[in-house]
Amino acid sequence: METQSQTAIKGKSQQAVRMTGADALVKSLQIEGTKILFGYPGGAIMPVYDALFSVQDELHHVLVRHEQGAIHAAQGFARVTGEVGVAIVTSGPGATNAVTGIADAMIDSTPLVVISGQVGSTLLGTDAFQETDVVGVTQPITKWNYQVKRAEDIPYAIARAFYIARSGRPGPVLIDITKDAQFASFDYIYEPVTHIRSYKPIPEVIRLRFKQLPN
């Protein structure tokens, strides 16, 4: 998808900052205005939880007792506040536990960004421990989903996730991030998205005038 960012629109440049993928995810959530998120930790998402610890005074994490509860809590938050709800889960059964809530958000037009951890990119497709094709599982019940295999793709994915979740008919978006992408370091620049060329959430309605049929 070809996009146009706020940075490009305003003609402003940003200075890159070196950080890990996990820190980049947390920073991106903060830039999008997230102040509270709901989740349950697990092995494949632990780097993100380590990053959350350093910003716990700014970004509040609500620990639930089950991943489905995290999704439903994020739904309730979104409906009450009008903001995008954010939930975070781990790979495998952690991600599949979230499916019911994601489907409910899709049906009820609730804006959600669901972040799932995933096994390392070199293990994808090998039936590794707690590997599930969560992108394939959730494709029919999300507005958009995307698997991140490189740390530098995290800002790209999060910016589009929030834009798609809240625009047009709101709904859930899932971002699946491999564990090695959470550990890897890169030069971080975030560009919030305001337009995606191939995504038209509010199409122009052309009113057709019916021509009078000849007698």
Side-chain angles (χ1 to χ4, degrees):
M1 289 187 292
E2 184 174 325
T3 63
Q4 186 176 12
S5 67
Q6 286 184 354
T7 302
I9 292 172
K10 297 178 181 179
K12 295 181 179 179
S13 61
Q14 298 182 37
Q15 177 136 17
V17 179
R18 194 78 177 171
M19 64 177 67
T20 66
D23 288 326
L25 172 61
V26 171
K27 183 66 174 176
S28 299
L29 292 176
Q30 290 181 293
I31 292 174
E32 288 291 345
T34 304
K35 291 185 172 55
I36 183 170
L37 70 162
F38 307 84
Y40 193 81
I45 199 68
M46 284 311 297
V48 174
Y49 271 87
D50 289 339
L52 282 171
F53 182 78
S54 63
V55 295
Q56 58 183 312
D57 294 334
E58 305 165 22
L59 185 54
H60 180 59
H61 173 270
V62 177
L63 177 64
V64 297
R65 295 297 177 265
H66 190 277
E67 290 86 359
Q68 185 175 337
I71 306 298
H72 289 314
Q75 280 183 279
F77 173 84
R79 292 176 186 175
V80 170
T81 64
E83 301 175 10
V84 176
V86 179
I88 182 170
V89 298
T90 192
S91 65
T96 56
N97 282 343
V99 168
T100 296
I102 294 172
D104 188 48
M106 187 68 173
I107 293 169
D108 291 344
S109 303
T110 306
L112 291 184
V113 169
V114 181
I115 298 158
S116 61
Q118 184 56 273
V119 299
S121 58
T122 59
L123 297 175
L124 292 173
T126 67
D127 196 25
F129 176 67
Q130 290 200 336
E131 179 200 0
T132 298
D133 180 14
V134 67
V135 170
V137 169
T138 60
Q139 191 170 16
I141 54 171
T142 53
K143 289 186 70 178
W144 182 62
N145 62 18
Y146 187 80
Q147 186 172 74
V148 176
K149 302 176 186 177
R150 305 186 311 158
E152 51 265 44
D153 291 335
I154 289 175
Y156 169 96
I158 296 300
R160 283 147 191 79
F162 273 85
Y163 176 68
I164 292 171
R166 64 166 63 103
S167 59
R169 176 190 171 186
V173 173
L174 180 133
I175 303 298
D176 191 46
I177 309 176
T178 61
K179 195 168 185 178
D180 52 328
Q182 299 171 46
F183 277 124
S185 297
F186 72 108
D187 293 328
Y188 174 83
I189 293 178
Y190 192 79
E191 299 181 352
V193 169
T194 59
H195 170 74
I196 300 176
R197 190 180 65 174
S198 59
Y199 171 61
K200 302 294 182 184
I202 308 177
E204 294 181 5
V205 178
I206 301 175
R207 298 183 180 274
L208 300 177
R209 295 182 180 179
F210 292 95
K211 295 182 179 180
Q212 186 175 0
L213 295 175
N215 294 329

